[in-house]
């Protein structure tokens, strides 16, 4: 892990080198933060989706991979919607990922489909250098 960039309150951010161990390290960092925030109920799905997105970044990008999580409470600032967890994975590759339908015999191609069917919203956006893929999970019982 390159290091924790920020862990201010309900937001945590890390940068990982584009190395094979980054997926495992990101999973541990995300799970530990979710436990600290009392969000074990979304731990498994969050860790799965972060693993898929970090793996995609490793496969196609050559620079550092950023992971950011933010616990949101839209009702507190007057915007509609319930409490949610926003997760972002960034890398220096500008090309947006493409969701595709994988055949049963394909070894890959299911990551974005998992993100799409497991999250309440997801998308991509271009940054100053590269792109960010984000997803949002509803936080039950809050």
């Amino acid at each position: 892990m390159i290091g924790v960039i920020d862990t201010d309150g309900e937001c945590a951010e890390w940068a990982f080198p584009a190395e094979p161990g980054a997926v495992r390290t990101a999973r541990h960092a995300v799970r530990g933060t979710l436990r600290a925030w009392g969000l074990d109920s979304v731990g498994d799905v969050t860790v799965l989706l972060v693993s898929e997105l970090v793996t995609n970044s490793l496969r196609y990008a050559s620079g550092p991979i950023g992971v950011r999580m933010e616990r949101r409470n839209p009702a507190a600032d007057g915007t509609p919607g319930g409490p949610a967890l926003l997760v972002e994975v960034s890398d220096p590759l500008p090309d947006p990922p493409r969701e595709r339908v994988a055949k049963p015999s394909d070894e890959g191609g299911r990551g974005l489909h998992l993100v799409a069917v497991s999250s309440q919203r997801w998308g991509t956006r271009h940054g100053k250098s590269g792109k960010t893929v984000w997803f949002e999970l509803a936080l039950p019982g809050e």
Side-chain angles (χ1 to χ4, degrees):
M1 179 163 70
I2 291 174
V4 175
I5 296 172
D6 184 21
T7 56
D8 184 28
E10 305 279 295
C11 182
E13 187 171 352
W14 306 270
F16 303 98
E19 300 171 354
V23 177
R24 180 175 36 137
T25 307
R27 281 195 307 257
H28 288 294
V30 166
R31 187 166 306 275
T33 299
L34 292 173
R35 275 194 191 117
W37 290 352
L39 297 177
D40 288 324
S41 63
V42 295
D44 289 341
V45 70
T46 305
V47 167
L48 171 66
L49 300 181
V50 166
S51 293
E52 292 294 336
L53 294 177
V54 171
T55 298
N56 281 351
S57 291
L58 278 173
R59 183 171 289 152
Y60 302 109
S62 60
I65 300 163
V67 177
R68 182 177 181 278
M69 293 193 316
E70 180 181 343
R71 186 177 188 170
R72 296 181 144 188
N73 187 359
D77 64 15
T79 57
L85 179 69
L86 173 68
V87 180
E88 302 172 322
V89 177
S90 303
D91 65 50
L93 188 70
D95 303 327
R98 293 178 302 145
E99 186 179 357
R100 63 184 179 102
V101 177
K103 298 175 195 156
S105 60
D106 289 346
E107 289 188 24
R110 293 172 182 82
L112 285 179
H113 180 70
L114 282 172
V115 171
V117 299
S118 301
S119 60
Q120 68 179 6
R121 297 184 322 138
W122 77 280
T124 62
R125 69 175 181 277
H126 291 285
K128 291 178 185 171
S129 62
K131 66 163 171 324
T132 298
V133 180
W134 60 269
F135 63 88
E136 192 175 83
L137 301 172
L139 296 178
E142 292 197 13

